[in-house]
Amino acid sequence: MPIIKQQSPQLINIDERQRPRDFNGLVAELEADDSTARRWAARDLAEFPESVEVLVRRLKYEGDPSVRETILTTLIRLGNPATMTELVECLRSEDAALRNEVIEAMKELPDEVAPIMSELLADHDPDVRIFAVNILESLCHPQVEEWLIKVIEQDPHVNVCATALDLLGEVGTTASRLGLEQLKARFAEEPYIGFAADLAIKRIDES
Amino acid sequence: MKHILVVDDAATVRLYHRNILESAGYEVDEAVNGIEAMEKALQTPFDLYVVDINMPKLDGYGFLREIRSQDITQVPAIMVSTEAESNDRQRAYRSGANLYLIKPVKPEGLLTYIRLLLGVSTHIRPHLSNDKAIDR
Amino acid sequence: MTEITISEEDFRKFREYFYRKTGIQFEASKRYFVDKRLVERIEATDSEHFRNYFMMLRFDAKGDELQTLVNLMTVNETYFFREEYQFQCLVNSMLGEIVRRKKDNSPIRIWSVPSSSGEEAYSIVIYLLEHWPGIEKWDVEIISSDIDTDIITRARRGHYSSRSVQHLPPRLLQKYFVPSAGGYQISDDMRDAVEFTRVNLMEAADVRSYRGFDVIFCRNLLIYYDDMSRRQAAETFFDALNPGGFVCLGHSESMSRISSLFRVRKFPEAIVYQKPLGDL
């Protein structure tokens, strides 16, 4: 059975880094040709709170999904409100994958997202408003239902309301009931709205 | 019985589609995102996919690209989106969608298209790489 | 105290949420089982009724309550040849693909994490020796890691209860173990075949030297992690794997709730996840 051999105690110590692991070295590495080098740099920059600007800028034109994922993980760990403007810009991107990655990251940043939520829900672009509701799905914040009620009462776009409805089916309380009835009336010709509002109402009444 | 996979991150949307499809006699399975959809599509021979675009982890475009790159290139796919812009429509077709519908979907419309796609899918190759087919 | 009840819609709401977060879907027939555990947690958290409890569960930023529930709803025990179909997949499918891609004679590297008391890592060794002809030609290194040093000590010692080895065919039990102190002692050859190490997957400094793996077994661990920790663990695995390397998760776990870094691969024996070959 010697075929399976004992591994040397220090495992493998490959350090393929071309530059030192200080702030400037890592920032330079973030532009490397090799995606592994960029990913490692993005990960190690989590030790430098001042790196958020560089990271969020890189995010917008980084083509490798694995590097983008690591950049976002580092941004979540650093949790800096300064990143929000740039992340919101990414929600407007043509790249659906980037948008969805950013939505997931914003869900992990409740303290940073909460102050701008009202603004996002009032955005001129219905897609951004839909994404804002998507973010609410995992945002652990006491105002979630309040925001959702405002959406179903006021948002003119059927799909923004539809997205809010899905979530109200889960978190809705009696406070949402009137808004749900009104929404049904407002989009009486849309079977989906009727279905989803009825479901949310049923759940509120039953609990 | 024809078997349809509904892929959407919103539980209410999945349930809505399930009710419509089951009442028309289809068997339905669900997935919350493109990765779960891949897991299911690789294990079950579905007859059709109904796929949302924006989903966490792997979006609708990504799912279709993956599925079209594997062995399952034949299965027709309807992409359902909240976005009305024409470049989304084109991107959907380029990713391998056979049809692009705007939400909210009306039951009769959905069923008509499904019957159409299931009916013709044995005669034409549903993988449409150009942007012209079955548009509008 | 009034009796706590879970209504039909409460159950559906919970089922949807739990499915979205974990990928675990309860059949309607599991209703009694689920209700019973929910009531248990509602009482334990003084939530009074389902509504309060569900809100607490949903808005708990740290996800501790969800983890408690996952623990209650799943069985987590370790024994030899648990989820054997994945070992079959390893020897019948994954390794073949890995050796076809190898350009040199460097060893195949397998990482089993968490090691727990060693059953998984030793099962891999036994499986390779018994079922993989390639073992004649290829060196294989098996590293198994855990965060808990006590359990690593137990894994290194390799002494097991009869319950732990009950799924091993008698022939293999006889071949690789000796009865000892009311249980079974794994042979020294086997103990020498696995390197047990201590690692915290969340600690960048700990995982930095874990590179160049071909297969990672990480079963029934990530399901107990919160979203952020899952994300970091997935990135750690991505960096630890060679391009084209595989991750195997537990049967109730799905990468669809963890990370988008890997591609889904279907083999006849199992669904596994693959690090893409080359840059995308």
Side-chain angles (χ1 to χ4, degrees):
Chain A
M1 204 172 44
I3 307 147
I4 297 176
K5 71 176 192 192
Q6 168 102 29
Q7 167 61 27
S8 56
Q10 35 320 49
L11 300 158
I12 290 191
N13 214 344
I14 320 171
D15 208 341
E16 292 162 358
R17 281 164 224 282
Q18 305 297 312
R19 297 184 178 86
R21 285 185 55 237
D22 59 18
F23 178 71
N24 290 329
L26 290 170
V27 168
E29 201 70 351
L30 208 52
E31 305 290 326
D33 288 338
D34 175 37
S35 62
T36 305
R38 298 203 297 282
R39 198 168 56 247
W40 291 6
R43 188 195 54 202
D44 290 347
L45 278 168
E47 287 167 38
F48 301 93
E50 66 271 35
S51 66
V52 288
E53 280 173 37
V54 189
L55 286 165
V56 85
R57 233 181 297 134
R58 176 76 215 182
L59 180 66
K60 287 199 213 162
Y61 59 95
E62 173 59 59
D64 185 299
S66 75
V67 183
R68 290 207 302 256
E69 178 135 339
T70 304
I71 290 177
L72 284 164
T73 304
T74 297
L75 288 174
I76 297 168
R77 291 172 68 189
L78 292 173
N80 186 327
T83 57
M84 281 302 133
T85 321
E86 307 270 357
L87 289 181
V88 171
E89 279 312 303
C90 294
L91 294 180
R92 302 183 198 284
S93 163
E94 285 285 293
D95 180 349
L98 175 64
R99 288 192 314 249
N100 289 307
E101 288 155 15
V102 167
I103 289 170
E104 280 192 76
M106 288 174 80
K107 285 176 178 176
E108 298 284 335
L109 291 164
D111 296 338
E112 290 76 13
V113 172
I116 61 159
M117 187 42 81
S118 297
E119 209 179 305
L120 285 177
L121 290 170
D123 197 275
H124 63 92
D125 181 351
D127 286 335
V128 170
R129 303 204 297 278
I130 290 172
F131 301 149
V133 177
N134 286 151
I135 292 165
L136 283 179
E137 182 265 307
S138 283
L139 204 65
C140 298
H141 195 276
Q143 252 182 293
V144 167
E145 189 184 11
E146 209 177 297
W147 279 315
L148 291 170
I149 293 173
K150 214 169 154 191
V151 170
I152 60 165
E153 284 178 350
Q154 297 176 2
D155 201 292
H157 197 290
V158 62
N159 281 325
V160 184
C161 294
T163 311
L165 265 184
D166 175 57
L167 196 45
L168 278 171
E170 203 171 272
V171 304
T173 68
T174 44
S176 306
R177 216 182 175 293
L178 182 65
L180 289 165
E181 295 285 2
Q182 286 168 347
L183 183 71
K184 251 175 78 177
R186 184 150 67 96
F187 291 106
E189 75 293 355
E190 289 293 353
Y192 176 75
I193 297 287
F195 171 83
D198 283 341
L199 182 67
I201 289 167
K202 188 170 171 217
R203 286 182 174 177
I204 290 166
D205 290 350
E206 255 197 43
S207 74
Chain B
M1 193 190 285
K2 297 286 187 187
H3 199 169
I4 297 177
L5 179 65
V6 173
V7 192
D8 200 304
D9 54 338
T12 317
V13 176
R14 293 196 305 273
L15 185 61
Y16 176 70
H17 284 150
R18 175 185 281 277
N19 288 351
I20 296 170
L21 298 173
E22 283 183 347
S23 67
Y26 297 113
E27 191 184 347
V28 177
D29 210 337
E30 304 176 15
V32 301
N33 63 33
I35 298 181
E36 190 175 37
M38 278 303 293
E39 293 173 350
K40 296 202 169 179
L42 289 171
Q43 293 183 90
T44 306
F46 291 102
D47 297 291
L48 187 133
Y49 311 119
V50 178
V51 189
D52 183 29
I53 288 186
N54 285 307
M55 294 180 289
K57 305 284 187 262
L58 184 64
D59 59 51
Y61 301 126
F63 166 67
L64 286 186
R65 272 195 308 272
E66 277 287 299
I67 213 79
R68 297 307 188 208
S69 73
Q70 305 238 3
D71 300 337
I72 323 164
T73 54
Q74 303 291 318
V75 181
I78 298 178
M79 199 161 233
V80 189
S81 169
T82 56
E83 292 155 67
E85 287 176 34
S86 69
N87 48 356
D88 291 310
R89 186 181 292 268
Q90 287 179 9
R91 202 169 306 144
Y93 288 136
R94 272 200 303 275
S95 309
N98 300 78
L99 185 68
Y100 184 90
L101 295 180
I102 308 288
K103 285 184 180 180
V105 170
K106 298 254 197 326
E108 323 79 59
L110 181 67
L111 290 174
T112 308
Y113 286 123
I114 286 177
R115 280 187 209 108
L116 184 72
L117 282 172
L118 288 175
V120 296
S121 65
T122 49
H123 305 300
I124 61 163
R125 293 187 67 82
H127 180 73
L128 308 168
S129 51
N130 62 53
D131 296 325
K132 296 191 188 76
I134 327 187
D135 204 350
R136 82 208 84 205
Chain C
M1 196 173 150
T2 54
E3 201 189 327
I4 297 163
T5 53
I6 313 288
S7 77
E8 179 70 29
E9 286 303 330
D10 288 343
F11 172 72
R12 288 197 184 150
K13 202 154 84 171
F14 171 74
R15 187 171 64 172
E16 272 170 22
Y17 176 74
F18 198 73
Y19 166 61
R20 186 170 78 235
K21 300 302 276 187
T22 65
I24 298 173
Q25 186 135 44
F26 298 116
E27 301 299 323
S29 60
K30 280 270 210 165
R31 174 81 195 266
Y32 175 76
F33 166 89
V34 172
D35 280 12
K36 205 164 157 251
R37 276 149 189 83
L38 280 174
V39 169
E40 205 179 302
R41 289 309 301 161
I42 292 168
E43 283 170 351
T45 55
D46 289 324
S47 302
E48 221 175 319
H49 42 63
F50 175 81
R51 195 175 66 225
N52 283 2
Y53 175 74
F54 186 68
M55 288 301 158
M56 188 269 281
L57 169 71
R58 250 201 126 273
F59 291 108
D60 165 21
K62 282 170 67 199
D64 290 345
E65 186 57 28
L66 184 64
Q67 283 170 53
T68 306
L69 268 179
V70 172
N71 261 312
L72 278 175
M73 303 285 184
T74 57
V75 186
N76 197 11
E77 51 170 350
T78 170
Y79 47 84
F80 279 86
F81 284 20
R82 185 180 181 195
E83 294 171 24
E84 187 179 354
Y85 65 95
Q86 283 192 340
F87 303 132
Q88 289 165 351
C89 185
L90 176 74
V91 297
N92 295 334
S93 301
M94 288 187 266
L95 286 174
E97 199 174 303
I98 287 160
V99 299
R100 271 197 300 281
R101 259 197 317 269
K102 276 209 181 288
K103 295 186 185 72
D104 54 18
N105 287 324
S106 62
I108 291 159
R109 288 164 53 83
I110 299 174
W111 192 13
S112 152
V113 60
S115 76
S116 187
S117 31
E119 288 89 336
E120 181 177 274
Y122 291 131
S123 292
I124 294 169
V125 181
I126 296 174
Y127 231 84
L128 289 173
L129 292 170
E130 294 292 322
H131 301 289
W132 192 50
I135 202 73
E136 304 287 337
K137 244 181 81 188
W138 294 89
D139 285 343
V140 182
E141 293 174 351
I142 296 167
I143 292 122
S144 189
S145 311
D146 209 290
I147 193 169
D148 177 351
T149 46
D150 290 343
I151 205 129
I152 294 170
T153 308
R154 269 173 56 197
R156 286 197 186 115
R157 196 185 310 135
H159 187 269
Y160 297 99
S161 67
S162 10
R163 186 185 163 84
S164 175
V165 298
Q166 65 181 336
H167 295 280
L168 280 174
R171 183 181 68 82
L172 298 182
L173 190 59
Q174 213 181 12
K175 188 167 170 189
Y176 296 107
F177 296 79
V178 283
S180 139
Y184 293 87
Q185 173 61 47
I186 203 158
S187 74
D188 287 347
D189 283 347
M190 301 296 284
R191 293 172 61 207
D192 287 343
V194 182
E195 169 79 7
F196 288 99
T197 63
R198 193 214 158 263
V199 121
N200 178 355
L201 284 180
M202 295 300 113
E203 210 45 73
D206 277 16
V207 296
R208 194 161 285 146
S209 58
Y210 288 74
R211 296 278 181 264
F213 286 96
D214 297 294
V215 184
I216 296 174
F217 285 88
C218 180
R219 309 192 300 178
N220 310 304
L221 176 71
L222 300 187
I223 200 165
Y224 303 102
Y225 280 19
D226 63 30
D227 289 346
M228 187 58 188
S229 309
R230 286 176 184 178
R231 192 182 168 109
Q232 282 178 259
E235 286 170 30
T236 294
F237 292 159
F238 192 86
D239 280 335
L241 282 172
N242 290 326
F246 298 103
V247 180
C248 302
L249 300 175
H251 77 282
S252 53
E253 297 174 306
S254 161
M255 198 58 93
S256 61
R257 304 302 191 280
I258 297 169
S259 167
S260 51
L261 289 170
F262 301 91
R263 297 186 68 195
V264 184
R265 277 297 301 276
K266 162 103 171 73
F267 288 115
E269 305 84 4
I271 290 266
V272 300
Y273 305 94
Q274 185 171 32
K275 176 173 173 172
L277 278 160
D279 282 336
L280 291 172

